[in-house]
Amino acid sequence: MAVFTEVGHDQAQTLLNALELGELVDMQGIKGGIENTNYFVTASQGGVSQTYVLTLFERLSAEQLPFYLKLMQHLAANGIAVPDPKAHASGRILHNVAGKPAAVVNKLAGQSQLQPTAAHCVALGRTLAHMHIAAQSFDMQQPNLRGLAWWNDTVPTVLPHINAEQRQLLQQELAFQNHIANSSAYAALPRGPVHADLFRDNVMFEGDTLTGIFDFYFAGVDAWLFDVSVCLNDWAIHLDTGEWDLERAHALLAAYESVRPLSSAERALLNPMLRAAGLRFWTSRLWDFYLPREASMLKPHDPTHFERIVRARATKPLQLSALDAERSSAHAA
């Protein structure tokens, strides 16, 4: 979330009028994130004010966007706490603002929990599993646009910007993921629509209660295990080192499996997918850091954080057997 395209008061009011959402009271640019232009837009209707999120899509095309918006609409209709896109009277949920495709969604209650506890990981794990199950009945198809094909295309563009040791690690990990992707075990992984970017700042809580998941604009059809791995790599680590917090890792996985147990193929490939999730975000952060776009509010993420995670995942695999033993002990007690 950043501001690449400035939106004026009149432009915002025109959209609010089309969606019958009331009179514009306030509009504030959102500086977090790096992909799209985002504003908090507060409107008043019948004396009641409500805040929405206006997103202008800077990279995604109008042809790609219905997948994301209709997935959110589908999940909301199936009881998952996600933003529900606001529709024109005709039913249209993709709009145009300042020459860019745009969407308006309700602002979720609560706040992001940037220092999650095991209780937050339990709530996330359960919700993620329910989301995967609900998404099975979604009938649109679109690949994860930041998947392996994108890594293969993007890694060569960032190699000139990093040192020899980093280049070696990045190329080794990319070769490893190409090898895994060609395996029969990988082909056996259960798949469906995934969020693919479910970091701490994309989930809202009130206390320990999860109140919503947002920012679905990296979603696509991929292995559900990849989604789980993205979460583990962010929610269940010590941020300063990238090393595991085993209590949080156990809590997240156990909660997920209480709703949707992992298959044997998923259990076998958990660590390779944890490495894949690390590689995906190291690659994208290198790209955003060294090849940035101009924006009036833009704060690129430090790529060294995911370099640490890639190194940690490659050298210290998560031991499912230890987590299973801990789970069995806790159950017996």
Side-chain angles (χ1 to χ4, degrees), residues 94-105:
L94 181 60
H95 315 294
N96 188 286
V97 176
K100 301 287 178 68
V104 175
V105 301

Side-chain angles (χ1 to χ4, degrees), residues 250 254 323-333:
H250 165 257
L323 294 178
D324 288 341
E326 183 182 344
R327 187 183 311 172
S328 297
S329 175
H331 182 73

Side-chain angles (χ1 to χ4, degrees), residues 37-60:
T37 290
N38 288 271
Y39 288 89
F40 286 132
V41 175
T42 301
S44 177
Q45 191 170 45
V48 177
S49 294
Q50 185 166 346
T51 300
Y52 304 92
V53 178
L54 165 63
T55 299
L56 278 65
F57 300 98
E58 302 289 347
R59 281 179 165 157
L60 294 167

Side-chain angles (χ1 to χ4, degrees), residues 34-35 59 146 150-151 154-155 158 170 197 199 218 277-291 301 303 306:
I34 54 178
E35 285 296 316
R59 281 179 165 157
R146 291 290 179 94
W150 187 83
W151 311 342
T154 305
V155 164
V158 301
L170 190 59
D197 190 36
F199 282 57
F218 284 116
L279 176 63
R280 179 267 188 253
F281 288 98
W282 188 24
T283 301
S284 63
R285 289 191 177 188
L286 286 168
W287 188 50
D288 289 325
F289 190 83
Y290 290 110
L291 302 165
H301 295 296
F306 268 98

Side-chain angles (χ1 to χ4, degrees), residues 205 260 302:
F205 288 90
R260 192 193 77 81
D302 181 2

